[in-house]
């Protein structure tokens, strides 16, 4: 399996794993309620969080690989994709740390509910910093894709990635719009990335010579 095919499979499998984990994730309003629900079945919660983090690793590894490939296409914005190859891998340690903290909070909940909630809140609000990195990564990748691909499909994916990046930025800095915007940003990220993987695997992207 070559790099292009592996990248495509990462971009397909990663979002599917995360979307599956979201099906079983508690739908509540606050971090405290979320932790309470997760603590009712610690083993299931650990599996869900493991599935989520593995999916995210595949997504951002695949995006980094895609950015590397796009950076090698001769276009006026190819340098922006090079920056994305650096930004996307930086997101993975933050996600691993956040999920690790979540798992620790679930394990601690029975012993000390107050301490568990305090720990969980740290990971809960780490997302804001991660979203800013996502904004930069997706914005730069999207702009580079506009010039890298000649066909309409590639340009549509590029615009969608730019929009995903903008929604991540809004979600990070506007508390009043956070819930609705976060939903669009995260779901959009998974669906666009899934589409990118499928389209690339089918060879439907036409790159510039």
């Amino acid at each position: 399996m070559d790099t292009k095919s592996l990248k495509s499979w990462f971009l397909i499998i990663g979002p599917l794993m995360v979307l599956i984990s979201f099906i079983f994730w508690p739908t509540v309003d606050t971090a405290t309620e979320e932790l309470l629900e997760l603590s009712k079945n610690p083993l299931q919660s650990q599996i869900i969080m493991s599935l989520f983090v593995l999916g995210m690793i595949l997504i951002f590894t695949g995006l980094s690989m895609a950015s590397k490939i796009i950076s090698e296409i001769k276009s006026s914005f190819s340098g922006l994709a090079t920056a994305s190859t650096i930004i996307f891998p930086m997101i993975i340690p933050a996600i691993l740390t956040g999920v690790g903290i979540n798992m620790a909070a679930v394990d601690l909940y029975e012993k000390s509910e107050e301490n568990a909630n305090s720990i969980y809140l740290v990971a809960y609000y780490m997302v804001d910093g991660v979203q800013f990195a996502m904004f930069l990564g997706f914005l730069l990748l999207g702009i580079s894709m506009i010039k890298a691909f000649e066909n309409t499909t590639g340009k549509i994916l590029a615009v969608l990635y730019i929009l995903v990046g903008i929604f991540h930025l809004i979600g990070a800095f506007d508390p009043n719009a956070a819930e609705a915007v976060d939903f669009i940003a995260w779901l959009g990220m998974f669906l666009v990335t899934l589409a990118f993987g499928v389209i690339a695997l089918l060879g439907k992207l036409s790159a510039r010579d």
Side-chain angles (χ1 to χ4, degrees):
M1 184 180 293
D2 60 18
T3 302
K4 289 185 178 180
S5 296
L6 184 62
K7 169 264 299 179
S8 298
W9 281 112
F10 280 0
L11 296 178
I12 293 170
I13 297 171
L16 290 175
M17 293 179 73
V18 175
L19 289 171
I20 290 170
S21 72
F22 276 9
I23 293 172
F24 298 98
W25 200 263
T27 52
V28 291
D29 295 328
T30 67
T32 302
E33 293 173 329
E34 188 172 282
L35 178 58
L36 174 61
E37 291 300 315
L38 289 170
S39 300
K40 290 179 180 178
N41 192 335
L43 178 59
Q44 176 180 296
S45 298
Q46 300 280 3
I47 293 171
I48 292 170
M49 287 187 273
S50 297
L51 190 65
F52 169 81
V53 76
L54 183 55
M56 294 297 279
I57 289 171
L58 292 178
I59 287 172
F60 288 107
T61 301
L63 287 171
S64 181
M65 294 167 70
S67 298
K68 173 64 175 173
I69 294 169
I70 293 169
S71 71
E72 295 171 351
I73 298 172
K74 294 180 180 179
S75 71
S76 54
F77 292 139
S78 60
L80 298 180
T82 302
S84 293
T85 65
I86 300 170
I87 294 170
F88 285 133
M90 293 171 60
I91 296 171
I92 295 174
I95 292 173
L96 284 170
T97 302
V99 174
I101 293 172
N102 286 345
M103 289 181 173
V106 171
D107 288 339
L108 183 63
Y109 194 84
E110 287 188 1
K111 298 177 182 178
S112 175
E113 183 177 333
E114 184 177 350
N115 288 339
N117 278 311
S118 299
I119 293 172
Y120 194 79
L121 282 172
V122 173
Y124 193 83
Y125 289 106
M126 278 179 65
V127 174
D128 292 345
V130 172
Q131 281 188 297
F132 185 71
M134 289 180 181
F135 156 69
L136 286 175
F138 286 122
L139 179 68
L140 297 176
L141 175 61
I143 294 173
S144 66
M145 287 173 66
I146 289 176
K147 289 293 185 179
F149 297 120
E150 294 181 331
N151 61 336
T152 304
T153 303
K155 293 185 184 299
I156 290 173
L157 286 173
V159 172
L160 290 173
Y161 268 134
I162 292 171
L163 291 174
V164 165
I166 291 171
F167 277 114
H168 275 299
L169 181 67
I170 296 171
F173 288 99
D174 186 356
N176 296 322
E179 186 173 343
V181 171
D182 280 348
F183 178 79
I184 296 172
W186 286 85
L187 184 61
M189 177 179 73
F190 302 137
L191 294 180
V192 175
T193 299
L194 178 60
F196 185 18
V198 172
I199 292 168
L201 188 65
L202 295 174
K204 300 298 184 180
L205 293 174
S206 177
R208 292 181 181 275
D209 296 328

